[in-house]
Amino acid sequence: MGMKSKILSLLLTTGITSCVYAQDNLKYQLPPKSIVDLVDAPSNPTTEFNKDGSLMLILKAPGYASMQHVAQPVIGVAGIKINPANNSTESEVAGVYESIMLKDIKTGKESALQGLPEKYRISNISWSPDGKYFAFTNNDMKGVELWYADAKTLQAKKLSNEFLNDAFGVTLQWNPDSKHILAQFIISSRGQQPVESIVPTGPVVQENLGVVTPSRTYQYLLQNPYDESLMEYFLTSQLKSVDLSGNATDISVPKIYSKVAYSPNGKYLMVQTVQKPYSYLVPINYFPLNTDILDASGKLVKALYQAPLADKLPTGFDVVATGPRAYEWRADAPETLAWAEAQDEGNPKNNTPFHDALFTLKAPFKAAPKKIFLIASRYSGVEWGNEKYAIVKERSRKTRMTKLTVINPENGKVVKAMPGTSSENAYIDPGRFVHTSHRLLFDKGTRPVVFTIGNGASPQGDRPFIMKWDLISNKQDTLFKSKAPFYEEPVFFNNTGTVYISKESAEETPNIYAVSLQDRTEKKITDFADPYPSLKGVQKTLLSYPRKDGIKLSATLYLPKDYKKEDGPLPVLIWAYPREFKSLSAAGEVKGSPYRFTRLAFRSPVYWVTRGYAILDNADMPVVGEGKNEPNDTFLEQIEDNAQSLINYVVNMGVADRKRIAVGGHSYGAFMTANLLAHTDLFAAGIARSGAYNRTLTPFGFQGEERTFWEVPEVYNKMAPFNFANKIKTPILLTHGIDDDNSGTFPIQSERLYSAIKGHGGTVRLVMLPKEFHGYRSRESVMHTFWEQDRWLETYVKNKK
């Protein structure tokens, strides 16, 4: 059958005993009021500055959607989830807002926009290059509308009665002239959605003629010609250039546009379009792709490259397709294109001195491409500066090494080769480069002096910073650094003597401040209220403790307000997610900050501090494999050591009852949880959400494992908790979204583990959530999940017999 979302019944096992298998069509339940109030609390606003920092948008996201909204039909094609009602991408990501205000930084005045509908859902917000306007979409249930707002008049205006295609590609972008918006529109003449015939015309056939074609597990792949027709129906767009009066001009012809980008001077468009033949083995990002140069009116100037179907790539994390890739405009030049090409046939295992090369091509695009720089490992982008300086970035995921090289972008001459560093070493991470108009922000003078903003990881926790960096001398000067007892994160900087920061503490909600870099004086810009007043007084501590092999681990401890050690040890909930490392030193780095304001999301365990539990959030679960050893070779031993070290530490502190400790996690954290229950007796109960437990269902690699099942079957078999279901006697709660489309975490993973544990007399409960993906989106599902978790913890942990 086609890729229509399946309508499945809700199957919830009931009863808290292991000896009876029951099934009940439960209604959605609510957890205790202390948790309900926190789930329904408003989210903290987010902010977005214009180009010069004179104006700031204040945006408020909606709470969890209702099941009525979430239950709308979803169609999955070529690895993409589509809402057919309004032709938008149906996802879990942030970026949708229900309230928008404009703040003048100089006067402090906050203003609402005029002309907006009474209710709206704003997304795709984009400031114009001159900072005077911003474009956005209103995601109506019937379609996605194109809007813009004048920041001076505060007037918002809908620019077209036609709907946008928000399902794939770049929905909207500004022309560099700040007077036109290029947007993807639904084809007005496309007609009704294709209807699948109930009578098949023949079998669906796939064939491989002796070619090695490994592939990881993907969801929502095309399965038949009907799925192909659905994909073309929902993803084909007409590009239109729309001026600020609403006059629209067609650009080129309807196609499936993967990427569209203006040259910096606005004269050309680089477009990438999806082509046939499609694949039933890989998602759309691997389909054939044509890259062309058009003039601003849409006329073809240069056909650059026709990338073939990439469904026969070898396994490995640094594997890429052969031929040109990663096309982009040089941000420092008016009309020059740049891209990378593999020099090793796309396979990093091929022994070559250089694995990638950087090419450029100037308008009018008639000369041969210019190879300007050879790259020793794998290309990961360029930071464009000016005609003299650019920074080429390279990395190797296998070795966890990164490197920066300053070059002349015109001739590729090396100006400064920076030493390679470990991508795992957060203590020396220089941060992200600061840009202006998509180019590097340079300090005054002739030398290439740039700026970066980083997290500032340190043994004392994260201390965000702004750094001035002379790329020639490698001299680094810290202009700003967060000071305890606050967490101060730069959010806007343009080298005018003031930095705007988001300032928070364990007790104070984040707000925006203007800070003078000369004398460190502060001016508060916003006054956002505390969304979680019930958490006032909760005790928060960043723990640092040793693993038996000497690695320093960290976790954030939350204790109930007014709790004292004299009150006795508490029941505990540990929440964690394993991460792989190639060095002991990187694994032992302190992560997080004790001065961050607590943020709650559906993945957070902190809700249960209101129920009298000690919470250990973001508990370190490093899995290290140095040298020729791979992390997963000793995965089980290391997660047990991690857990044992944390338990011993908090028990010795006097805050944790060793006999009443639960462990939980989401996705790979759920996989970890099931393994801890299968191989240790450290815990009273476990909570495993949306995990993968049978590694034969992910045979071509998973998470940080690039070896296949057939290369290391002993590793796959040892790591799979499904293989040890007969040993899982500790009570485990399994939850999973019925429509989970995450690679590897098919819903059947939880269903099969449940059956295996049940078949061996274990205590287990399986909760399958209708209409939910890998993350749970509806208020009903989140509340019910928390109800399940609360009952599980109360029964098997707090009140353990």
Side-chain angles (χ1 to χ4, degrees), residues 116-121 138 140:
L116 286 171
E118 182 178 352
K119 290 185 178 181
Y120 52 84
R121 287 172 57 84
N138 177 33
D140 187 74

Side-chain angles (χ1 to χ4, degrees), residues 12-88:
L12 296 169
T13 65
T14 60
I16 304 293
T17 61
S18 62
C19 57
V20 177
Y21 169 51
Q23 194 166 284
D24 186 13
N25 292 317
L26 278 181
K27 301 296 183 183
Y28 289 108
Q29 302 293 312
L30 292 176
K33 186 177 185 303
S34 66
I35 295 178
V36 171
D37 290 345
L38 290 172
V39 173
D40 286 337
S43 60
N44 206 59
T46 60
T47 57
E48 191 168 320
F49 288 85
N50 69 342
K51 179 181 178 180
D52 63 7
S54 61
L55 300 170
M56 179 177 70
L57 296 178
I58 299 176
L59 306 159
K60 292 184 180 180
Y64 290 106
S66 68
M67 179 53 72
Q68 183 178 10
H69 179 85
V70 169
Q72 299 302 309
V74 173
I75 291 176
V77 290
I80 300 171
K81 297 189 293 284
I82 299 169
N83 180 348
N86 66 0
N87 219 112
S88 67

